[in-house]
Amino acid sequence: MIAMTALHTNPLFARLESARHVLVAGAGGGFDVYAGLPIALSLLHQGKDVHLANLTFAAVEGLPLEDWLAPDVAAVTPRSALHQTYFPERTLAQWLELHGYPSTVHALARTGVQPLRAAYRALIERYEIDAVVLVDGGTDILMCGDESGLGTPEEDLTSVAALADLVDLVPELLVVSVGFGVDAYHGVSHGLVLENIAALERDGAYLGAFSLSRTTREGALYVDAVAHAQQHTPEHPSIVNGQIAAAVRGEFGNVRFTARTSGSELFVNPLMSLCFVFTLEGLAHRCRYLDRIENTHLMRQVSSAIAEFRDDVTWRPPRRIPH
């Protein structure tokens, strides 16, 4: 029996209505946590206790011992490791402080499933988390494993697998995918993405979608945060969030905001601002190799396990969207 909500309610926030302590986490590393910022801000504006986390690509090993809440999870503040030029978690912490919001962003080490699960467990227990929203900037988190192209699924599905075993600890585990189309550069067929979403709908795991709008307070703040990140990380700005923010601003087509995209043609469009919402349990159930990465401790073990699975499976060919 699928739980019913009213048409006029937002599918994500209806599920989080009773939650008091929410963790919003970037699934795939890099600037993924920024894709969850509008959701986190909306929850804060509703008076909820909200914490931010991100699977980090930054060099966090040198952070002082007092910054580590547990193995593989550090509390990053606006003044953490100021010598590092690339540190998305710190850059976001600085933006949050600038705007008067709680300014700690937790950095999760880039590990395999077992230590990442322990890190999540430590955060959940420390802050008495009763809901987790795992956010992917892009759509490769929706890949089952048998598609012609998976994008860069290692970090995303390690995060899914780590949280999937904590379903008895956290009443609400949700996944949000925002940035439809941005993973085409990495070989993702978005026709197959739509096929996967339809399958998740049949399973009762797809909860619906809503769009980010700059006419909302949170949408406008998100656009500002992305611009701030681009200014403070000029050599490595987020291509994913740059496209999403451009779509929120109403830009279209081959939008240029960084030299990193030179040599490729972008297709920024309104679909990139859509947030697709899923139950994490349902999403995990459809990933065909999740059991193979369960006992990993290192990210390279995850990569190897996915590659071995790919050798054993017949791939679904790309599916063109006929519109």
Side-chain angles (χ1 to χ4, degrees):
M1 179 71 177
I2 299 173
M4 295 292 179
T5 58
L7 183 61
H8 65 268
T9 62
N10 179 290
L12 174 68
F13 296 107
R15 292 289 290 250
L16 297 175
E17 187 174 1
S18 62
R20 295 178 299 120
H21 308 286
V22 185
L23 177 64
V24 178
F31 287 89
D32 254 12
V33 65
Y34 277 79
L37 182 60
I39 295 166
L41 293 174
S42 180
L43 293 167
L44 280 167
H45 296 158
Q46 294 174 50
K48 296 184 186 296
D49 177 42
V50 180
H51 301 272
L52 290 165
N54 195 48
L55 196 153
T56 188
F57 288 173
V60 294
E61 297 82 4
L63 291 177
L65 286 177
E66 58 267 25
D67 289 354
W68 293 89
L69 305 185
D72 300 313
V73 55
V76 177
T77 72
R79 280 155 287 282
S80 294
L82 292 175
H83 63 284
Q84 289 194 42
T85 57
Y86 176 82
F87 202 163
E89 294 82 9
R90 184 200 61 215
T91 304
L92 178 55
Q94 292 171 341
W95 182 90
L96 290 165
E97 183 181 58
L98 186 65
H99 288 266
Y101 292 107
S103 57
T104 296
V105 181
H106 300 87
L108 299 163
R110 188 172 175 267
T111 68
V113 170
Q114 291 294 321
L116 184 60
R117 181 176 295 149
Y120 267 116
R121 183 183 292 275
L123 276 177
I124 289 165
E125 292 177 347
R126 182 183 183 93
Y127 297 118
E128 300 180 333
I129 297 297
D130 52 10
V132 177
V133 182
L134 187 67
V135 183
D136 178 31
T139 52
D140 44 14
I141 199 169
L142 306 179
M143 298 289 98
C144 301
D146 62 351
E147 298 84 358
S148 53
L150 300 187
T152 54
E154 288 85 358
E155 291 82 10
D156 292 319
L157 273 302
T158 296
S159 298
V160 169
L163 285 165
D165 197 54
L166 301 178
V167 65
D168 293 333
L169 187 63
V170 185
E172 201 70 73
L173 291 170
L174 302 172
V175 172
V176 174
S177 167
V178 55
F180 184 89
V182 301
D183 293 316
Y185 176 77
H186 289 121
V188 170
S189 163
H190 284 79
L192 293 180
V193 169
L194 294 176
E195 184 176 48
N196 290 354
I197 293 175
L200 288 161
E201 171 68 90
R202 293 193 298 274
D203 291 347
Y206 175 46
L207 304 180
F210 63 96
S211 64
L212 301 178
S213 170
R214 63 175 177 168
T215 64
T216 64
R217 180 183 179 188
E218 294 81 8
L221 285 168
Y222 168 71
V223 170
D224 184 80
V226 173
H228 175 271
Q230 290 175 339
Q231 179 185 353
H232 287 81
T233 317
E235 295 180 359
H236 204 84
S238 172
I239 294 174
V240 170
N241 284 283
Q243 291 181 78
I244 297 169
V248 173
R249 292 194 303 267
E251 299 190 47
F252 184 82
N254 194 22
V255 178
R256 290 294 169 196
F257 50 85
T258 171
R260 290 185 65 204
T261 61
S262 60
S264 61
E265 184 171 350
L266 304 182
F267 183 56
V268 171
N269 66 85
L271 294 179
M272 288 183 173
S273 68
L274 283 176
C275 298
F276 297 89
V277 185
F278 309 88
T279 66
L280 187 140
E281 190 175 11
L283 191 69
H285 177 72
R286 291 203 61 85
C287 180
R288 295 182 57 184
Y289 57 79
L290 217 62
D291 59 330
R292 299 200 183 198
I293 66 173
E294 169 63 26
N295 294 316
T296 57
H297 290 262
L298 304 171
M299 190 56 69
R300 66 172 179 266
Q301 293 175 316
V302 175
S303 299
S304 297
I306 295 174
E308 289 172 4
F309 168 81
R310 298 280 283 167
D311 288 339
D312 297 338
V313 71
T314 301
W315 299 356
R316 281 185 283 158
R319 189 164 191 146
R320 189 175 66 87
I321 301 174
H323 297 291

